[in-house]
């Protein structure tokens, strides 16, 4: 019985470390139910976004489901804005808008280091579905500025 040991090669950059971690995590995350991560995202959005969300944006976004996909982790979360805040969208409700990007792209967007237009034109951010709803969301986030800072 021969045993070959593979030498550990340290990642050379944060991007390389992220790619290695995402490759290990994605097969596990894809098998998990959507509800727990969706609930965590809803709670975060209720804390970070809801208090700053203008009434006209609340009206435009209410009652329609949005899927937020984190492509590098194989994660998809489905939410909707209800009367009391962001909640899990019913599984039977069709998705009005799908937003997809890798985790580092979302983080840069939320910290205000990149804007949605740039990520969209670089194809790092994908929006599919109701164009008007996507523009309301994008313009609202642009007007609010960064949602959090490290």
């Amino acid at each position: 019985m021969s045993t070959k040991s593979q030498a550990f090669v340290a990642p050379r950059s944060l991007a390389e470390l992220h790619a290695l971690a995402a490759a290990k995590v994605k097969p596990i995350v894809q098998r998990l139910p959507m509800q727990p991560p969706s609930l965590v995202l809803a709670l975060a959005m209720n804390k970070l976004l809801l208090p700053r969300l203008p009434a006209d944006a609340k009206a435009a976004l209410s009652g329609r489901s949005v899927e937020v996909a984190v492509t590098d982790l194989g994660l998809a979360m489905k939410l909707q804005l209800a009367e009391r805040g962001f909640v899990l969208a019913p599984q039977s409700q069709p998705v009005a808008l799908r937003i997809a990007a890798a985790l580092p792209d979302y983080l840069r967007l939320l910290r205000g280091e990149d804007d949605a237009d740039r990520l969209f034109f670089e194809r790092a951010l994908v929006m599919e579905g109701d164009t008007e709803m996507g523009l309301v969301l994008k313009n609202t986030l642009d007007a609010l500025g960064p949602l959090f800072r490290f």
Side-chain angles (χ1 to χ4, degrees), residues 11-60:
R12 288 174 270 180
S13 68
L14 189 55
E16 194 174 303
L17 176 62
H18 170 260
L20 288 170
K24 297 285 187 191
V25 170
K26 187 174 184 175
I28 298 165
V29 171
Q30 287 179 316
R31 293 186 182 124
L32 298 175
M34 191 185 299
Q35 289 82 4
S38 297
L39 181 59
V40 170
L41 180 61
L43 293 172
M45 290 181 69
N46 285 331
K47 177 102 172 146
L48 298 171
L49 179 60
L50 189 62
R52 298 172 59 191
L53 202 58
D56 60 336
K58 283 181 186 176

Side-chain angles (χ1 to χ4, degrees), residues 1 8 24 35 42 51 58 60 66 68 76 81 90 107 122 140-141 144:
M1 182 166 164
F8 174 74
K24 297 285 187 191
Q35 289 82 4
K58 283 181 186 176
V66 175
V68 179
L81 180 56
L107 294 176
E122 290 178 353
T140 301
L141 292 174
L144 294 177

Side-chain angles (χ1 to χ4, degrees), residues 1 11 21 27 46 80 99 103 110 112 118-119 131 137 142:
M1 182 166 164
N46 285 331
Q80 73 179 29
I99 304 166
L103 182 61
L110 294 174
R118 178 179 173 181
L119 293 173
T131 305
L137 183 58
D142 285 348

Side-chain angles (χ1 to χ4, degrees), residues 66-71 75-77 95 97-101 106 109 125-129 133-134 137-138 141:
V66 175
E67 181 181 295
V68 179
V70 184
T71 55
L75 190 60
M77 298 158 286
V95 173
L97 179 66
R98 180 177 184 271
I99 304 166
Y106 279 124
L109 181 65
L125 176 72
V126 175
M127 293 182 99
E128 301 169 328
M133 185 177 180
L137 183 58
K138 178 213 151 323
L141 292 174

